């Protein structure tokens, strides 16, 4: 029996899966995001570790068989600084953090972003390792000097459970790793001005690496010392595994806090010149990569709007029905993250907009406009990532049948909803089975899923709507670039 754990941004989840990929026990516990002035967003590693301990103990108590392994996945990016024993040297900086926004703007303007993109194919954003290390080099060099490891969420948990200083290649991919060789690019480090901190970066683990609980980890989880542990892939490529998406050109849309769009690739193609955005991520297979376009905000945009309007999530479906496709002329740009946008373009100044509003506009029109704008953003990301095959969807927003219908209509292709929504934690479990030499074929999960098909009579309307969205975005980007720093 393998316990899978997904250490998310606001929730830690654990589940036990049988060999058919069905969850037989689940638990979750919230974590805290500390939002500070200056668009700073941080987390406490010890609190996050406590949630891991809690959810593992809960699902382990429901087990009927011995625990075979613990499989970890979780949020990526950000900066989780630790000492040699794995204790934090400062609060972890979240991937949502915007303190490096001015530096990213500078790098965009002076060509640093483009040069790093040419070296590794990676587009940087304020919450990525490169800008955060460079910012701390200026603001907190003493913190870096007393740190032994500059890693990520998942490897921070692995270190505290096993004593191993390591990192999964998927996490290390952005922005310093040449994912083709799985080795750090000295040129990318130099371009970011952080070569002197190379020693803080853990070496990427070989695919299918296994670690084991040490005495400290065994006490935390109340499991036998020596229990095998896997540390990744992080949540984006882990969701690919958990959805059953395996063929080159197939994609996955994760409609969660992040609007994460991924397409399976068998080789890395760095376009130059090209928009220095998006990610090329290693997976647990040497010949498979995720071409990822994770937009900063997905369901968070809708949550913000619902709170602003004083309505609950249960009202979304009837409001979508109350406003026709096209939202009676209301349109939106959904870029609400304080740190701007990272895919399929990078702009720390990106901000949301509503247009076409008049005295006759109803709240149903605004809700539909925002839902359609997020679907347009997904189409932009998936087209940029190279989607040509089947598309699966997961995440909290995928539970809304009305909203998923909007995605299918906007994308002009069927959207497959797998049998359940535990993609990340199940993907971690699939990776663990592979590491233990007992691979699981998850392709059938797509075949068992529900297909939501586009409505043909809306095709022309949404093609026109998407063209307007792209034109609106182009004009907004010109406006943002002329504005004073946000």
């Amino acid at each position: 029996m393998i316990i899978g754990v997904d250490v998310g941004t606001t929730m830690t989840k654990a589940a036990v899966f049988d060999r058919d990929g069905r969850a037989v026990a689940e638990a979750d516990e919230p974590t805290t995001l500390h939002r500070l002035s200056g668009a700073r967003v941080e987390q406490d590693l010890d609190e996050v570790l406590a949630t891991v301990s809690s959810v593992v103990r809960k699902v382990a108590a429901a087990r009927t068989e011995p625990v075979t392994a613990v499989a970890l996945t979780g949020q990526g990016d950000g900066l989780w600084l630790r000492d040699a024993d794995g204790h934090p040297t400062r609060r972890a900086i979240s991937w949502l953090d915007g303190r490096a926004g001015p530096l990213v703007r500078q790098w965009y303007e002076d060509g640093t972003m483009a040069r790093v993109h040419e070296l590794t194919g990676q587009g940087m954003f304020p919450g990525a390792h490169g800008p955060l290390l460079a910012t701390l080099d200026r603001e907190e060099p003493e913190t870096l000097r007393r740190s032994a490891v500059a890693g990520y969420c998942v490897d921070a948990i692995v270190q505290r459970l096993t004593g191993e200083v390591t990192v999964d290649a998927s996490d290390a991919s952005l922005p310093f790793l040449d994912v083709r060789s799985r080795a750090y690019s000295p040129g990318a480090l130099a371009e970011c001005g952080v070569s002197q901190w190379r020693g803080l970066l853990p070496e990427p683990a070989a695919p299918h690496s296994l670690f084991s609980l040490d005495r400290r980890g065994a006490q935390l989880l109340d499991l036998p010392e020596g229990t095998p542990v896997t540390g990744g892939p992080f949540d984006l490529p882990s969701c690919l595994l958990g959805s059953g998406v395996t063929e080159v050109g197939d994609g996955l849309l994760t409609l969660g806090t992040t609007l994460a769009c991924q397409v399976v690739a068998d080789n890395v193609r760095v376009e130059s010149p090209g928009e220095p955005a998006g990610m090329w991520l290693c997976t647990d297979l040497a010949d498979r990569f995720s071409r990822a376009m994770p937009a900063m905000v997905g369901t968070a945009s809708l949550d913000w709007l619902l709170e602003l309007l004083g309505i609950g999530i249960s009202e979304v479906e009837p409001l979508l029905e109350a406003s026709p496709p096209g939202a009676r002329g209301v349109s939106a740009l959904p870029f609400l993250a304080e740190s701007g946008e990272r895919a399929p373009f990078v702009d720390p100044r990106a901000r949301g907009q509503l247009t076409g509003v008049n005295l006759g506009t109803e709240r149903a029109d605004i809700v539909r406009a925002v839902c359609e704008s997020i679907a347009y953003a997904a189409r932009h990301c998936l087209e940029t990532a190279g989607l040509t095959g089947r598309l699966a969807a997961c995440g909290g927003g995928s539970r809304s049948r009305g909203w998923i219908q909007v995605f299918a209509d906007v994308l002009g292709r069927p959207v497959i909803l797998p049998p359940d929504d535990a993609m990340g934690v199940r993907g971690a479990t699939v990776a663990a089975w592979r590491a233990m030499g007992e691979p699981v074929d998850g392709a059938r999960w797509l075949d068992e899923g529900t297909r939501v098909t586009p409505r043909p009579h809306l095709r022309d309307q949404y093609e026109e709507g998407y063209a307007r969205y792209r034109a609106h975005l182009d004009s907004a980007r010109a406006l943002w670039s002329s504005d004073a720093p946000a």
Side-chain angles (χ1 to χ4, degrees):
M1 183 186 81
I2 293 179
I3 296 176
V5 183
D6 185 354
V7 188
T9 305
T10 58
M11 187 76 66
T12 299
K13 305 172 186 176
V16 179
F17 291 92
D18 62 22
R19 292 281 293 174
D20 290 329
R22 286 185 284 268
V24 296
E26 298 179 85
D28 58 59
E29 190 152 329
T31 54
T32 305
L33 281 177
H34 300 277
R35 295 186 178 274
L36 312 173
S37 61
R40 297 173 182 233
V41 184
E42 300 181 347
Q43 289 192 279
D44 187 286
L45 171 57
D46 289 326
E47 183 205 8
V48 172
L49 185 67
T51 67
V52 173
S53 172
S54 175
V55 295
V56 169
R57 286 169 178 260
K58 287 177 182 177
V59 296
R63 72 184 189 270
T64 58
E65 304 172 22
V67 176
T68 308
V70 176
L72 298 173
T73 186
Q75 59 182 293
D77 301 304
L79 185 61
W80 297 63
L81 293 167
R82 295 104 66 186
D83 63 19
D85 291 324
H87 296 287
T89 53
R90 70 170 329 278
R91 264 204 309 220
I93 303 177
S94 169
W95 62 273
L96 290 166
D97 193 273
R99 75 188 68 195
L103 180 60
V104 170
R105 288 196 294 270
Q106 176 189 323
W107 284 358
Y108 199 95
E109 293 166 359
D110 67 18
T112 299
M113 291 273 287
R115 291 190 293 273
V116 171
H117 183 257
E118 289 179 5
L119 289 166
T120 65
Q122 310 292 13
M124 292 181 289
F125 67 103
H129 243 49
L132 288 175
L133 275 174
T135 297
L136 288 196
D137 181 56
R138 299 178 182 183
E139 297 182 356
E140 301 180 34
E142 71 285 353
T143 302
L144 294 177
R145 282 193 287 270
R146 68 171 181 267
S147 300
V149 186
Y152 304 82
C153 175
V154 176
D155 57 88
I157 302 300
V158 170
Q159 186 178 3
R160 292 289 287 273
L161 295 181
T162 72
E164 298 281 353
V165 176
T166 183
V167 65
D168 191 78
S170 62
D171 260 321
S173 296
L174 182 72
F176 303 127
L177 204 70
D178 182 338
V179 298
R180 293 159 290 200
S181 64
R182 297 190 178 225
Y184 292 115
S185 165
L189 288 158
E191 286 291 347
C192 294
V194 295
S195 297
Q196 68 272 33
W197 304 115
R198 166 64 180 86
L200 298 182
L201 303 179
E203 291 302 321
H208 307 145
S209 291
L210 282 172
F211 311 100
S212 59
L213 289 180
D214 61 13
R215 183 164 56 90
R216 179 176 62 174
Q219 291 173 345
L220 277 167
L221 303 187
D222 194 24
L223 293 175
E225 187 173 349
T227 299
V229 176
T230 58
F234 83 96
D235 57 7
L236 290 186
S238 188
C239 282
L240 277 180
L241 287 178
S243 69
V245 171
T246 57
E247 297 300 318
V248 173
D250 287 351
L252 176 66
L253 166 65
T254 303
L255 187 51
T257 303
T258 302
L259 182 68
C261 301
Q262 301 179 80
V263 175
V264 179
D266 58 0
N267 62 81
V268 176
R269 299 174 298 279
V270 178
E271 297 179 5
S272 181
E275 184 93 26
M279 309 171 182
W280 286 99
L281 303 175
C282 293
T283 71
D284 71 326
L285 299 176
D287 62 347
R288 287 292 183 270
F289 304 92
S290 164
R291 179 54 169 149
M293 291 284 168
M296 287 295 292
V297 175
T299 56
S301 292
L302 183 58
D303 291 341
W304 169 84
L305 178 63
L306 296 180
E307 182 177 356
L308 189 69
L309 296 177
I311 56 181
I313 191 68
S314 62
E315 297 182 64
V316 170
E317 294 281 342
L319 287 171
L320 283 173
E321 293 177 3
S323 180
R328 297 190 181 93
V330 181
S331 60
L333 294 178
F335 310 116
L336 297 185
E338 292 176 293
S339 55
E341 189 50 87
R342 62 177 174 176
F345 62 92
V346 175
D347 195 330
R349 293 192 184 103
R351 294 295 180 262
Q353 296 182 13
L354 274 175
T355 60
V357 177
N358 59 43
L359 291 176
T361 298
E362 301 177 1
R363 62 181 183 178
D365 302 321
I366 296 175
V367 168
R368 174 170 276 280
V370 169
C371 286
E372 288 181 346
S373 74
I374 297 170
Y376 288 137
R379 177 169 170 176
H380 193 186
C381 287
L382 288 165
E383 287 182 351
T384 305
L387 177 68
T388 58
R390 296 188 297 177
L391 178 67
C394 65
S398 68
R399 300 189 191 107
S400 168
R401 186 59 180 266
W403 198 6
I404 283 297
Q405 184 64 62
V406 171
F407 278 92
D409 292 337
V410 166
L411 293 166
R413 64 170 66 237
V415 178
I416 304 170
L417 300 174
D420 60 60
D421 197 41
M423 303 299 142
V425 67
R426 182 164 58 216
T429 305
V430 171
W433 281 118
R434 284 179 177 171
M436 299 179 72
E438 301 179 51
V440 173
D441 179 13
R444 67 182 182 279
W445 298 329
L446 279 187
D447 297 330
E448 297 171 358
T450 302
R451 290 170 61 89
V452 180
T453 59
R455 293 171 289 185
H457 69 281
L458 296 177
R459 178 176 177 81
D460 290 344
Q461 181 173 350
Y462 275 120
E463 287 297 317
E464 293 173 4
Y466 181 57
R468 285 196 300 273
Y469 168 85
R470 292 292 301 272
H472 188 183
L473 175 58
D474 289 343
S475 63
R477 292 188 68 182
L479 179 65
W480 298 329
S481 66
S482 66
D483 284 346

